[in-house]
Amino acid sequence: MIGAISQQQKIGVAVLVVMIVGWLVYLFIAARRTYEPGSEMELAPNRKPYLDDEALEGSRLTKYLWWAFASLAITAVALPAYWLREPSRQEGAGLDRGTQFFEDTSIKRGREYFEVSPGDPPTPREPHYGCERCHGVEGIGGVADYTLSDPVDQNAPARQVKWVAPALNTALLRYRPAELANIIIYGRAGTPMPPWGVAGGGALNEQQVEDLVAYITSIQLDPAEVKAANLTEFGTDGKKVFDGMCARCHTEGYSYGEAGVPGGGAFGPSLVGGSTLRQFPDITTQIEWVEKTAELGKQYGVRGQSKGVMPHFGDMLTAEQIKAVVDYERTL
């Protein structure tokens, strides 16, 4: 086993062994010492004659000053020497493996949060929040039962709908990690996605949200494969691309099979009546917006300010598809 540990670990083991042996020798010597009753009157250190002031402030003081100087010199040389080889020490200590361990542990916890609890109710030691109930096993997408109410007429009877929940194995191809965390924390108003973070009124603390993001990151599909699949499914037909990628946010009722006016607005803003042309007079800026969007709080288009909720599609659609969907939106 010694050969499998690092040089620093070997030195640490050697120092520990020396300390243990030293303590054993001290205890052995102390146990063998015997004193007759009353001998402490002569043997006690405070009863023995000691050095006078001249000796204390002369050779003895000089000796200890030299010892102090030697200790300081060793420290002054040893610390720089130690830090000079710090990069190789870190490599030898396997910090990459350590970082991977923490990442793997975070992913494991996130997977447990994502899964449905095997017990009912879930235990506090192994909390499961059941994200896969709506988003499917390993985030492949699913359907959620949702009670739909009328936001205008509060007296209108509520009704049950089947809401198509998005796949999460492409979530990091559409959102930045911070944007995904923000969605988890605050949810999506008017949809089956509730706020899960403590800041949004949910149950998950910051570490748990990070763990969920870590798990979702671990199940992401390959962008090239996703682009190829979307190209096969939608081609370069702008309306098909819009229905497949944009309508769930920009068309009311699309997510539960009751699509209203295409591009008329839902969670996302309305794109009809020339609003797209007013926001993006130059088509190039709209193409860039669809491809990359902008980070939270950054400017886009004409006086637009990103809220961090618009997906970017540069990792999911080809340039031709993005151009086609932008052309379609500009006709609405």
Side-chain angles (χ1 to χ4, degrees), residues 198-219:
V198 171
L204 301 183
N205 59 35
E206 291 184 11
Q207 181 61 64
Q208 290 173 310
V209 172
E210 289 182 11
D211 293 339
L212 260 180
V213 173
Y215 170 67
I216 294 172
T217 302
S218 73
I219 61 173

Side-chain angles (χ1 to χ4, degrees), residues 290-303:
V290 174
E291 179 185 5
K292 303 176 183 177
T293 69
E295 294 185 18
L296 179 65
K298 299 295 185 180
Q299 187 268 340
Y300 70 91
V302 177
R303 300 187 66 181

Side-chain angles (χ1 to χ4, degrees), residues 238 283 286-287 322-332:
I283 189 174
Q286 186 180 356
I287 290 174
I322 292 176
K323 174 64 165 55
V325 76
V326 166
D327 286 339
Y328 171 73
E329 290 174 350
R330 297 175 76 84
T331 66
L332 297 176

Side-chain angles (χ1 to χ4, degrees), residues 178-188 193-206 209-210 212-213:
E179 294 169 347
L180 179 60
N182 198 59
I183 294 171
I184 295 172
I185 293 170
Y186 296 103
R188 295 286 211 195
M193 178 64 182
W196 284 103
V198 171
L204 301 183
N205 59 35
E206 291 184 11
V209 172
E210 289 182 11
L212 260 180
V213 173

Side-chain angles (χ1 to χ4, degrees), residues 50-59 61:
Y50 203 59
L51 301 174
D52 57 22
D53 289 345
E54 185 175 348
L56 283 173
E57 297 177 3
S59 59
L61 178 61

Side-chain angles (χ1 to χ4, degrees), residues 218-272:
S218 73
I219 61 173
Q220 295 305 286
L221 301 179
D222 179 72
E225 294 179 1
V226 172
K227 280 187 177 183
N230 286 333
L231 185 60
T232 299
E233 182 174 359
F234 306 122
T236 55
D237 184 315
K239 185 179 187 310
K240 288 184 178 180
V241 176
F242 180 87
D243 288 344
M245 294 291 166
C246 316
R248 64 178 298 108
C249 287
H250 292 286
T251 299
E252 184 179 6
Y254 193 90
S255 293
Y256 48 91
E258 299 178 12
V261 178
F267 182 78
S270 171
L271 304 180
V272 301

